[in-house]
Amino acid sequence: MTVRLKVFLSFLFLLVMLPAYQSAGQECAFEETTSNLSCVPDNIFAAEPDQRLLSSWLHPDNGITFQPVYYGEVFTNAHGGIATRGSTHYEGLLDLSLSFDLEKLNAPLPGRINMLFQNTHGRSLEQYVGATQLISNIDSLNNITQLSELWWEVDLYESGITMRVGRQDLCDLFLTVDTASDFINSAFGLSPSAGLPSFPAPSSAVVFMTDLSNDVSVRAGLWDAYRSNEVGILSNNGSILFIGEFEYRFAAPFSQLPGILTAGATYETQGSVPAGVIPRAYGYYFQYEQLLFREAGSDEDSPQGLSAFVQHFPTYSSDNSPFPQIPQDALAGITYTGLFRNRDADITGAGAGWVDLDQGGTDQEVMIEVFYKAKVNDNLIIQPDLQYFTTPSGIYPDALVAGIRFQWDL
């Protein structure tokens, strides 16, 4: 077993390092001729061939898009929490996304179909840290191998309304803060501890969305609230989640830098599971994102500069729930794209999350995260990360977690 593990790790190391070596050679050759353009955004070089391990013969121009991505990370609990001994572990996520453009495929149905297969493996640090805001957004609590999403999206005639129906992740369209998407802690997306139909347990839904103008979008959805492992399209718990969201995109009055203001609301009906009765619940949320500074000469679609975000999401329940609940939470943070010279695609971030709890102790938890996300080449990203928790889950000693993630676009 030890020999096989060594062989596997050696093979994995070669696969990871080979693209980096090739890219380094290409960058050196490019800099010899045009050194002042060594970090121009990737989309300018759209004519370059796709150098991923899995070739793009499944290309959007042909109506079929295949996007395999692998995430791997090693984290350790360096101090505090529940325990530090033996707390260094590896965790991985394989995403295999397959999308079909039905019109380009001359199919009898319009629109597009999307499938997402996911596999998680390894071990998280939750039993060592005890945090409510889970350390990693690829932590599935229990390892999974599943078809996570299967949905059909279509424009409804000439109404300007788009419908998406099928099994889907609520966080794809709702409660999403783009500026916070590069953080690793799950609180900056939609944590599994929130109990909503998102990773690792998306569920069946129907969503309607439309653009009221170039600056205003509206979305509304209805979800099977708590997906179980039962076979079938719908669960039998009887609980339904309604969610609506309003998004306004604007330019700041004086600087004319782009910003996004989002407001939404949720309502969950009563249901029943073996663990108990699911009470009625409702919540609302506000999100604000703003580009504060743009470097001169950077592209408007991929600007280098400083951005900030905030989010607040209080929820209310008519009774005690059999699922973990977070009465309210808040997020805030900043990111800087291209902080260092000749590293225009790298992202640096610092953010904090706060949750109000009802578990005793301090009844609150504060999480602080800092990271540096370095783009090695078009296929590989490396991201060192530090997270500090005050009173994890309100009842454990302050904890310091350190780790590193790599993202490999296959």
Side-chain angles (χ1 to χ4, degrees):
M1 179 67 180
T2 303
V3 174
R4 284 185 295 175
L5 180 59
K6 289 181 178 178
V7 172
F8 171 75
L9 291 175
S10 300
F11 178 67
L12 182 61
F13 176 79
L14 288 173
L15 286 178
V16 171
M17 293 307 298
L18 181 58
Y21 171 77
Q22 292 174 336
S23 176
Q26 293 161 359
E27 289 175 2
C28 290
F30 183 70
E31 289 175 357
E32 287 177 0
T33 55
T34 54
S35 57
N36 61 325
L37 297 176
S38 59
C39 291
V40 177
D42 295 338
N43 57 0
I44 293 182
F45 302 103
E48 291 186 356
D50 194 333
Q51 298 175 10
R52 291 180 297 175
L53 178 65
L54 301 180
S55 177
S56 59
W57 60 275
L58 297 175
H59 196 275
D61 291 343
N62 302 325
I64 303 176
T65 304
F66 182 47
Q67 293 180 319
V69 183
Y70 183 79
Y71 304 88
E73 61 189 27
V74 176
F75 272 90
T76 186
N77 183 25
H79 172 78
I82 300 174
T84 57
R85 188 170 184 177
S87 65
T88 302
H89 292 286
Y90 178 85
E91 192 168 22
L93 165 66
L94 175 64
D95 274 354
L96 299 176
S97 177
L98 189 61
S99 180
F100 301 90
D101 187 322
L102 300 178
E103 294 182 5
K104 290 183 178 178
L105 292 171
N106 295 318
L109 288 174
R112 67 188 183 103
I113 292 175
N114 188 79
M115 304 169 62
L116 175 63
F117 171 85
Q118 292 183 309
N119 169 269
T120 61
H121 44 276
R123 191 176 178 186
S124 69
L125 300 189
E126 301 316 312
Q127 63 176 321
Y128 298 95
V129 179
T132 299
Q133 300 169 98
L134 301 186
I135 294 165
S136 173
N137 52 20
I138 69 170
D139 183 1
S140 58
L141 302 179
N142 295 305
N143 287 338
I144 59 172
T145 299
Q146 65 184 26
L147 182 64
S148 294
E149 296 189 43
L150 176 58
W151 47 260
W152 172 50
E153 182 178 281
V154 63
D155 295 330
L156 298 180
Y157 306 104
E158 307 246 339
S159 64
I161 298 175
T162 299
M163 179 183 71
R164 181 183 293 185
V165 59
R167 188 171 184 179
Q168 49 190 299
D169 192 321
L170 181 142
C171 205
D172 283 348
L173 297 171
F174 299 86
L175 281 161
T176 299
V177 182
D178 291 338
T179 308
S181 62
D182 296 297
F183 287 84
I184 288 179
N185 189 283
S186 63
F188 292 101
L190 187 54
S191 174
S193 58
L196 295 175
S198 182
F199 175 85
S203 62
S204 299
V206 57
V207 176
F208 297 93
M209 43 194 159
T210 187
D211 293 328
L212 301 182
S213 68
N214 291 333
D215 302 323
V216 178
S217 298
V218 177
R219 295 176 283 272
L222 182 152
W223 256 268
D224 184 7
Y226 289 100
R227 179 64 190 167
S228 67
N229 291 325
E230 300 172 0
V231 177
I233 298 176
L234 300 173
S235 64
N236 296 317
N237 56 49
S239 182
I240 297 174
L241 173 71
F242 298 90
I243 184 169
E245 186 174 284
F246 171 89
E247 180 182 287
Y248 173 55
R249 299 172 293 277
F250 62 93
F254 300 104
S255 63
Q256 294 301 303
L257 295 175
I260 302 175
L261 181 64
T262 305
T266 64
Y267 178 76
E268 199 171 295
T269 66
Q270 190 174 28
S272 179
V273 293
V277 175
I278 303 170
R280 288 186 298 273
Y282 68 93
Y284 62 90
Y285 57 92
F286 297 100
Q287 300 171 171
Y288 175 52
E289 305 174 64
Q290 181 66 58
L291 181 63
L292 301 176
F293 166 73
R294 176 188 290 152
E295 291 186 3
S298 65
D299 187 89
E300 290 189 3
D301 294 328
S302 302
Q304 283 83 54
L306 179 66
S307 299
F309 66 90
V310 293
Q311 182 194 65
H312 182 45
F313 186 13
T315 57
Y316 305 90
S317 177
S318 62
D319 204 348
N320 293 325
S321 173
F323 300 98
Q325 286 188 305
I326 300 175
Q328 58 179 323
D329 67 4
L331 291 170
I334 57 173
T335 62
Y336 198 107
T337 303
L339 179 62
F340 299 108
R341 185 177 180 182
N342 296 329
R343 302 296 305 175
D344 289 353
D346 292 359
I347 302 172
T348 307
W354 167 81
V355 291
D356 177 30
L357 302 170
D358 188 17
Q359 302 180 30
T362 63
D363 275 338
Q364 64 177 341
E365 173 188 287
V366 176
M367 172 272 304
I368 299 171
E369 178 180 357
V370 293
F371 71 87
Y372 185 83
K373 190 173 183 179
K375 184 175 181 180
V376 179
N377 55 41
D378 289 342
N379 310 98
L380 181 63
I381 293 173
I382 302 293
Q383 183 171 349
D385 188 86
L386 283 175
Q387 298 181 34
Y388 185 82
F389 298 85
T390 64
T391 60
S393 292
I395 56 178
Y396 299 112
D398 294 2
L400 175 63
V401 174
I404 187 168
R405 168 183 288 186
F406 72 88
Q407 174 185 331
W408 189 17
D409 294 339
L410 300 171

